[in-house]
Amino acid sequence: MSSANWLERETSVLSPGMRLPFFPLVIKEAKGEIIRDHDNNEWIDFLSSACVTNTGHAHPFIIEKMKAQLDQLVHYNPAYASHEQIVSLSEELIRITPGSFPKRVTFGLSGGDANDTAIKLARSYTKRSKIIAYTRSYHGNTYGALSISAVSLPMRKNMGPLLPDVYHIPFPDVYRSPFHSEEESKRCILAIEHLFETVCPPEEVAAIIIEPIQGDSGVLVPPQSYINALKQLTAKHGILIVADEVQTGFGRTGEWFASTHFQLEPDLIVLGKAIASGMPLSAVVGRSEIMNSVEPPSGAFSLAANPVACAAALATIQVIEDEDLVSRSNLLGQYIQGYFLRLQEKFEMIGDIRGKGLMIGIDLVEDRNSKIGSSSMAAKICWRCWEKGLFLTFFSGSVLRIAPPLTISEASLEKGLRNIEEAIKDVQQGRVSDEVLDRVKGW
Ligand SMILES: Cc1ncc(COP(=O)(O)O)c(C=O)c1O
């Protein structure tokens, strides 16, 4: 059956809330950085399943470990019994995450539920109710995660009431701010102080939840001075720092975890997406005293820490280490940024190039003075890339999302970058019609 037929059948059975309007893609198989549909079309994947498949699709070593685990034990509810994978994986997560203090781990199934767990842990430990999060952040669609997210109205519309006692503060945006990076950093810290002085007593705040590099807002990298000041402010008021590393984790940014770029040792770290190379698994890793502040069954999920998912996670960690993928992410990321810097000299529409490792955003603008984002150019470029065999998406309206698997071959990377360059030329010369905009809406 063709991809078009599958999509037609899907329309009458699937809730539209699940899918962002990008391309008519029905994946039949995926290996490494290549995805194939039901009509034998092929694309190079520059999205990695939204930073899930950092080790590429179906890495042979990870598949082998999953198959071996399937033969041994498929699952047992972790609320009732342990298994060796849950123990080994907890030890490994404690080893690789930042924080040189005693830590413990708890497991879930998605980044969203792990953020909910982090909120509960922070409230339970501090006995405070208020949570501070950021404008334009994305933390997931469970009620807690949704309540702290602030990037998309359709996520929230008619969903209330959401979790009470959540406050949103601005995330530093060095590119669009009229201020120099240090000034922007100060402006955003002042916003927290203002919040504390007016509507939100700091002694009632349990935690600040931050994406160390904000992802779905279009890859915003905060200045080091901001993180330094945030550390001071939270320490002064006994407020926990929760790092949502669901998107930034597992080598994506050229460090095991993005917090390390900023010498940040969060009290709690939220993990998901790439943790198990596509198997449903999430985790919260944090200071022992916080993790020990809850009682059973407050952290129980029947399907959490599935042994096959845990085996995939253990194998993922081993692959990232054996293949030195953290360094590779860094090296390839620098190469890509260099490539776009050269393109920026030729194409006025490339306003900003930012990110770390293989989490890169290319911000397209109507003109470099106004810095008004151009979502139509982003949509057209992505469509042209789709036609050329590159799976490229955009977010935050106007930002091309460059996030290939960390294992991508140099040949595929080069081909993908050339596809983007050609697509930019085509769009600039008016060779991509406006009709495309009805199809590729993105978000
Ligand atoms: C930073 C961040 N946190 C949480 C989530 C939610 O993860 P999930 O979709 O697994 O619930 C995402 C997903 O995009 C994310 O980028």
Side-chain angles (χ1 to χ4, degrees):
M1 197 183 302
S2 71
S3 292
N5 286 337
W6 281 114
L7 282 174
E8 200 184 311
R9 281 173 62 180
E10 189 193 77
T11 313
S12 55
V13 289
L14 191 74
S15 166
M18 275 200 85
R19 173 98 25 80
L20 293 165
F22 278 109
F23 308 108
L25 175 61
V26 184
I27 299 181
K28 187 174 180 197
E29 57 177 28
K31 296 263 158 35
E33 68 270 21
I34 304 297
I35 49 186
R36 279 186 199 89
D37 74 356
H38 285 262
D39 311 310
N40 283 323
N41 297 307
E42 240 181 58
W43 290 269
I44 297 169
D45 186 6
F46 260 32
L47 179 63
S48 305
S49 184
C51 301
V52 169
T53 50
N54 286 4
T55 54
H57 296 282
H59 191 291
F61 180 74
I62 300 170
I63 299 293
E64 182 195 313
K65 292 290 179 186
M66 281 165 56
K67 283 183 176 164
Q69 184 58 46
L70 268 175
D71 285 339
Q72 211 173 313
L73 169 70
V74 173
H75 189 59
Y76 207 93
N77 186 332
Y80 293 89
S82 189
H83 51 79
E84 60 181 89
Q85 307 292 344
I86 201 172
V87 181
S88 302
L89 182 57
S90 300
E91 288 169 353
E92 282 294 86
L93 293 177
I94 286 169
R95 177 177 71 83
I96 63 173
T97 46
S100 47
F101 34 76
K103 287 180 279 184
R104 294 209 175 185
V105 184
T106 189
F107 290 100
L109 291 137
S110 73
D113 70 48
N115 275 304
D116 280 27
T117 297
I119 293 170
K120 290 196 290 181
L121 284 162
R123 284 182 164 177
S124 161
Y125 175 70
T126 59
K127 314 268 185 309
R128 302 172 176 188
S129 65
K130 294 185 172 33
I131 301 288
I132 294 179
Y134 286 86
T135 52
R136 304 173 70 193
S137 64
Y138 185 86
H139 298 285
N141 267 311
T142 50
Y143 257 107
L146 169 61
S147 306
I148 56 174
S149 298
V151 71
S152 151
L153 210 52
M155 279 173 70
R156 294 182 150 236
K157 221 164 44 183
N158 303 325
M159 300 290 181
L162 302 183
L163 211 62
D165 273 358
V166 173
Y167 299 83
H168 286 98
I169 53 173
F171 194 90
D173 181 346
V174 174
Y175 176 58
R176 289 221 163 68
S177 162
F179 306 113
H180 178 266
S181 123
E182 294 308 300
E183 288 301 308
E184 172 66 353
S185 171
K186 268 190 216 146
R187 178 185 80 88
C188 293
I189 290 294
L190 278 175
I192 310 178
E193 285 170 347
H194 183 65
L195 191 78
F196 289 167
E197 285 159 15
T198 52
V199 287
C200 175
E203 63 277 10
E204 292 178 18
V205 178
I208 292 192
I209 302 190
I210 183 169
E211 295 166 74
I213 295 176
Q214 209 178 49
D216 291 359
S217 58
V219 190
L220 298 182
V221 183
Q224 177 69 52
S225 57
Y226 178 79
I227 301 292
N228 293 345
L230 186 72
K231 282 200 275 192
Q232 274 180 9
L233 198 62
T234 48
K236 180 173 157 196
H237 296 292
I239 296 168
L240 304 180
I241 295 188
V242 179
D244 178 346
E245 293 252 16
V246 169
Q247 183 165 166
T248 48
F250 294 90
R252 173 55 54 191
T253 70
E255 287 282 359
W256 264 103
F257 297 96
S259 295
T260 306
H261 288 295
F262 308 99
Q263 298 86 49
L264 176 65
E265 294 192 342
D267 299 294
L268 298 173
I269 305 175
V270 183
L271 306 174
K273 284 193 187 268
I275 185 172
S277 293
M279 294 297 285
L281 184 70
S282 65
V284 180
V285 184
R287 286 183 184 274
S288 291
E289 63 268 29
I290 304 170
M291 305 299 287
N292 289 343
S293 71
V294 288
E295 289 176 42
S298 65
F301 297 98
S302 298
L303 296 176
N306 170 276
V308 184
C310 290
L314 283 162
T316 298
I317 294 168
Q318 197 176 329
V319 165
I320 293 175
E321 280 182 338
D322 288 353
E323 299 184 17
D324 206 7
L325 294 182
V326 177
S327 309
R328 188 173 168 75
S329 169
N330 224 333
L331 279 176
L332 296 184
Q334 280 171 24
Y335 177 75
I336 296 171
Q337 294 218 22
Y339 193 99
F340 279 101
L341 280 170
R342 285 192 297 281
L343 292 190
Q344 196 177 31
E345 287 169 17
K346 289 196 270 178
F347 300 106
E348 178 74 16
M349 70 170 84
I350 300 183
D352 194 29
I353 300 154
R354 52 181 183 255
K356 286 192 185 288
L358 287 174
M359 183 168 169
I360 295 173
I362 308 297
D363 204 327
L364 303 174
V365 291
E366 285 176 11
D367 68 80
R368 289 194 192 160
N369 289 329
S370 73
K371 297 182 182 173
I372 293 172
S374 177
S375 54
S376 60
M377 278 192 284
K380 285 180 177 182
I381 289 167
C382 289
W383 179 260
R384 186 54 116 214
C385 285
W386 160 260
E387 291 177 322
K388 287 172 180 291
L390 175 70
F391 189 54
L392 177 74
T393 60
F394 62 102
F395 48 13
S396 190
S398 61
V399 182
L400 301 179
R401 183 178 196 177
I402 314 289
L406 279 43
T407 51
I408 190 170
S409 70
E410 282 164 28
S412 292
L413 181 62
E414 201 58 41
K415 199 168 164 202
L417 291 174
R418 295 222 182 279
N419 284 158
I420 299 175
E421 183 171 353
E422 287 160 14
I424 292 177
K425 257 187 228 157
D426 285 350
V427 171
Q428 196 185 44
Q429 291 169 9
R431 289 201 289 262
V432 182
S433 86
D434 284 348
E435 279 165 34
V436 161
L437 304 177
D438 295 330
R439 274 181 270 177
V440 190
K441 295 208 166 58
W443 71 305

